[in-house]
Amino acid sequence: MYELTIDDIEVIAADVRSQEIVFTHLADELIDHICCDVESEMESGLTFYEAYARVRQKFGRRRLKE
């Protein structure tokens, strides 16, 4: 299984924080969930950015905040 780098996680965390989610524990849970989804997508040979784009499409831009 592929493991994300600290830089990869920071990209995801910055995106989640930009959604202005009020509850910190919820933001942390979302970051963890997204990281797991990205790692799963990467198992099929995608790069981090390809996998992250695919995961973001699943969520939609506004769905994180909802």
Side-chain angles (χ1 to χ4, degrees), residues 18-21 56 59-66:
S18 75
Q19 295 295 310
E20 300 174 354
I21 297 169
R56 281 196 324 247
F59 278 102
R61 190 70 179 143
R62 297 256 320 138
R63 296 235 18 214
L64 281 181
K65 194 164 185 174
E66 291 173 5

Side-chain angles (χ1 to χ4, degrees), residues 45-64:
L46 298 176
T47 67
F48 165 73
Y49 289 101
E50 292 168 334
Y52 186 38
R54 188 174 285 181
V55 170
R56 281 196 324 247
Q57 280 181 325
K58 288 182 198 176
F59 278 102
R61 190 70 179 143
R62 297 256 320 138
R63 296 235 18 214
L64 281 181

Side-chain angles (χ1 to χ4, degrees), residues 33-44:
H33 180 73
I34 293 169
C35 286
C36 290
D37 280 356
V38 170
E39 288 173 341
S40 178
E41 291 288 343
M42 291 178 76
E43 287 184 18
S44 66

